[in-house]
Amino acid sequence: MKLQRVLQYTKALLADTVVAGDSVVDATAGNGHDTAFLAELVGSKGHVYAFDVQQQAVEATKLRLAENQLDKQATVILDGHQNVKKYVSEPIKAAIFNLGYLPGSEHSIVTKPGTTIEAVSDLLDLLHVGGMIILVVYHGHEGGKDERDKLLAYVSDLPQKYVHVLRYEFINQKNDPPFIIALEKMKDLP
Ligand code: SAM
């Protein structure tokens, strides 16, 4: 078996966790690549809730879904992922975050440690036992290292009886390569 690249491994984890009919969350829709991938996995009986704070991202995601006839099984929401509980009340099987900024757009609009952690905490409540939250951590931009460190401190402290936390990272790559944090819920948190 070869070592899977970060984005390849992210997709493999999602594909292994999500089955047709599930509800899932794309916490950072961006250009909608992950939203479309998840919409394929959940099928016409499942649902994807996708969040982004930029109108441009919401439109790009809606367009990608429509072009692939996946729009019926997804809701794209112009709001921050920290407000997930306003829109999602049913249990979810998985959530994905790609932290940082939208490639090709305003670099000042980036995910932030406080709201990212708030969203992860709320998603852990909504997550099925056996479900997974995956964060692809980009940390090369301004503020990225602060978000990375605060997030690592938060997830490292989650009790292992309830959540298994994995860090998947290539440690000899140059220029702040992204890495994965994957949270697998083992038991409902108290
Ligand atoms: N997964 C995306 C794709 O397939 O194109 C890329 C996502 S990009 C790295 C990060 C996105 O997070 C940006 O589009 C940005 O607008 C969005 N974002 C920043 N803060 C956010 C927040 N609080 N809630 C939801 N999205 C946010």
Side-chain angles (χ1 to χ4, degrees):
M1 182 182 152
K2 291 200 156 99
L3 296 180
Q4 293 194 50
R5 304 294 175 258
V6 160
L7 296 184
Q8 208 181 7
Y9 190 52
T10 302
K11 286 191 164 181
L13 287 173
L14 289 172
D16 211 44
T17 306
V18 178
V19 296
D22 282 341
S23 292
V24 299
V25 168
D26 183 353
T28 52
N31 287 316
H33 295 97
D34 291 326
T35 310
F37 180 70
L38 286 169
E40 299 260 14
L41 292 178
V42 300
S44 57
K45 297 204 162 59
H47 208 79
V48 186
Y49 298 89
F51 291 83
D52 207 291
V53 289
Q54 294 191 70
Q55 182 73 42
Q56 175 192 344
V58 166
E59 277 162 22
T61 300
K62 283 186 174 167
L63 184 64
R64 186 177 302 279
L65 290 166
E67 281 173 353
N68 292 285
Q69 288 85 48
L70 294 166
D71 40 329
K72 294 205 170 48
Q73 60 241 47
T75 306
V76 189
I77 298 155
L78 178 62
D79 200 352
H81 40 228
Q82 63 276 19
N83 298 318
V84 62
K85 282 192 171 172
K86 279 195 199 159
Y87 304 90
V88 184
S89 48
E90 76 249 39
I92 57 153
K93 187 60 96 52
I96 171 82
F97 291 73
N98 275 269
L99 303 182
Y101 58 83
L102 181 64
S105 89
E106 188 51 67
H107 288 199
S108 60
I109 304 175
V110 291
T111 53
K112 298 271 168 50
T115 40
T116 299
I117 291 169
E118 200 181 334
V120 173
S121 169
D122 281 351
L123 287 162
L124 271 174
D125 285 344
L126 291 169
L127 199 65
H128 275 286
V129 170
M132 198 168 300
I133 300 174
I134 300 168
L135 299 113
V136 183
V137 183
Y138 291 85
H139 49 105
H141 58 282
E142 204 184 324
K145 292 187 174 50
D146 180 45
E147 181 176 38
R148 173 197 68 193
D149 293 344
K150 288 184 170 144
L151 182 62
L152 282 171
Y154 167 74
V155 296
S156 305
D157 226 26
L158 290 167
Q160 70 178 73
K161 190 167 147 195
Y162 300 99
V163 192
H164 287 180
V165 182
L166 170 86
R167 177 170 175 170
Y168 183 86
E169 175 174 31
F170 289 90
I171 59 173
N172 67 335
Q173 291 179 352
K174 304 235 175 331
N175 303 324
D176 303 313
F179 64 91
I180 295 171
I181 297 172
L183 312 179
E184 183 185 359
K185 184 163 169 179
M186 307 309 291
K187 215 172 174 250
D188 281 319
L189 283 98

